[in-house]
Amino acid sequence: MARTRSPRIDKTPFEAIITDLTHDGRGVARRDGKAVFVSGALPGERVMAEQTAKNRHFDEARTLDVLEASPDRVAPRCPHFGTCGGCVLQHMDETRQIEAKQRVLMENLERIGHVSPTSVLPPLTGASWGYRRKGRFSVRRVNKKDRTLVGFREQDPRFVADLSECHTVIPEIGGKVAQLAALVESLDAREHIPQIEFIAGDAGEDFSGVALVFRHLQPLSDGDRARLAAFGQANAFAIFLQPGGVESVHALWPDAPQLAFALAPWDVSLAFRPLDFIQVNAALNEKMIARTFELLDPQPQDRVLDLFCGLGNFTLPMARLVGEVVGVEGEAGLVARARENAQRNGLSNAQFHAADLTQDQRGTAWMRQGFDKLLLDPPRSGAIEVLQQLPLKQFDRIVYVSCHPGSLARDAGYLVNGQGYALASAGVMDMFPHTAHVESIALFERR
């Protein structure tokens, strides 16, 4: 059987005029009539570039030198920018970043959904550095360098970025990446630890609220366990170990750390486990909840349906405002903890159900209950399957929180062009500054 050869890459530097920005933060140029996506380049710039990949419909390249810079270009704060794949927009003025994301949202709504909002919401923004409270570092022992690397994946995802610091991660973690690498290097099991997850809530009695989960593929020696526990004690981090699947996660130090974060404006506290999904940006999360409620306009007599509810990030604070709220989530563990959180907060008017919302739910009791308003916060794939099942005529208002503008646009098209709703407003939220992630929110009203 003949081997398939990769297309030949021409490494000869070439000049490119950048005319646009892709959804993933790369500059768009044309070379001999073919689109080229150039990392590290901004619209309006003239750059020297080098091809990195060749495809049938487009090529990929990286910036070698900026010949004429855009006025929107700024000096990246992080020394690892350009190599690390965690950020792609640090070289762009922060105001222009959010404007670009707003443009991506509007273009998706028009091109995919064939809809446009009656009004564009002002962007939600916050601190652009030290915001990330949840994430995963890859770990790799590189024997040729006789070192352990800890960091996010490089722009070439085959490699782990050799980080000494990270400015988008909360300072408690971002300033200790080099210490984490040295810690893993000191372990007997350094070649058997592929990743470290981090997550942070509010400070606990014995620790700072930061938890680290060390995934390990081989049993740890007593010495390794002692070194990890000592690191946790020295830095006031809770240390968890993960020898297998999600259910294998257990605390090493302290004995029973309690992880939780407060949503103070609504007098609610959410307890969570170290691998649970929580919103990455704590400050933006509170702003997002407030805007969601502003758009949904929950009233004391309302019954609200909250789909893809997770731990109850929206459900529980909403229970302070409405007669009853029902949260539905696909992951049974999150549902169990959402129920526990409702009980902890004394909220008897919040119900939770576990259900795969991509499958037929029309026979379930919660689907047949009557509701006034609908809140959706789906994954990247969107919510089209459940929208096609719901008796939508019962909802006066639908608020849709999205982490992918393409799926929001598709679902908006379904609601507006097929189900009698108007897209009253839409806008972006800068949950992930300096990245190309576009988080957005939209309000649909019954016409």
Side-chain angles (χ1 to χ4, degrees), residues 57-70:
H57 301 295
F58 64 90
D59 291 339
E60 298 175 62
R62 65 184 181 94
T63 299
L64 297 175
D65 189 24
V66 179
L67 304 177
E68 291 180 14
S70 163

Side-chain angles (χ1 to χ4, degrees), residues 126-273:
S128 59
W129 303 104
Y131 63 83
R132 191 181 186 102
R133 64 174 173 176
K134 176 176 171 60
R136 176 188 297 164
F137 289 132
S138 295
V139 181
R140 179 168 294 173
R141 181 63 167 56
V142 181
N143 292 325
K144 288 183 179 179
K145 296 183 178 181
D146 196 29
R147 293 178 55 222
T148 295
L149 307 184
V150 172
F152 295 116
R153 292 283 172 173
E154 290 189 359
Q155 292 188 5
D156 182 340
R158 296 174 300 170
F159 304 105
V160 176
D162 185 4
L163 300 189
S164 60
E165 58 191 335
C166 178
H167 293 277
T168 59
V169 172
I170 57 172
E172 298 93 323
I173 294 292
K176 291 188 170 67
V177 181
Q179 290 174 242
L180 279 171
L183 170 65
V184 177
E185 177 65 19
S186 75
L187 302 178
D188 300 328
R190 60 181 178 266
E191 295 189 13
H192 304 291
I193 296 180
Q195 65 194 40
I196 303 168
E197 301 229 13
F198 60 88
I199 195 167
D202 299 332
E205 186 174 327
D206 298 318
F207 66 103
S208 65
V210 175
L212 302 178
V213 182
F214 288 81
R215 177 85 172 94
H216 57 98
L217 306 178
Q218 298 290 337
L220 298 180
S221 66
D222 290 342
D224 282 355
R225 294 170 67 89
R227 282 183 278 271
L228 289 169
F231 183 84
Q233 292 173 21
N235 293 281
F237 294 163
I239 304 296
F240 290 81
L241 302 179
Q242 185 187 359
V246 172
E247 295 304 317
S248 73
V249 174
H250 61 280
L252 175 66
W253 185 89
D255 289 338
Q258 301 300 307
L259 300 171
F261 66 90
L263 296 172
W266 302 278
D267 189 26
V268 165
S269 176
L270 278 73
F272 59 91
R273 293 186 184 178

Side-chain angles (χ1 to χ4, degrees), residues 326-364:
V326 175
V328 185
E329 162 63 39
E331 189 177 330
L334 290 177
V335 171
R337 287 185 280 291
R339 288 173 178 155
E340 293 166 3
N341 280 321
Q343 188 172 10
R344 286 175 66 246
N345 288 276
L347 295 169
S348 59
N349 62 334
Q351 301 177 27
F352 293 92
H353 301 277
D356 181 351
L357 294 172
T358 65
Q359 302 300 312
D360 192 344
Q361 301 294 329
R362 280 169 286 200
T364 58

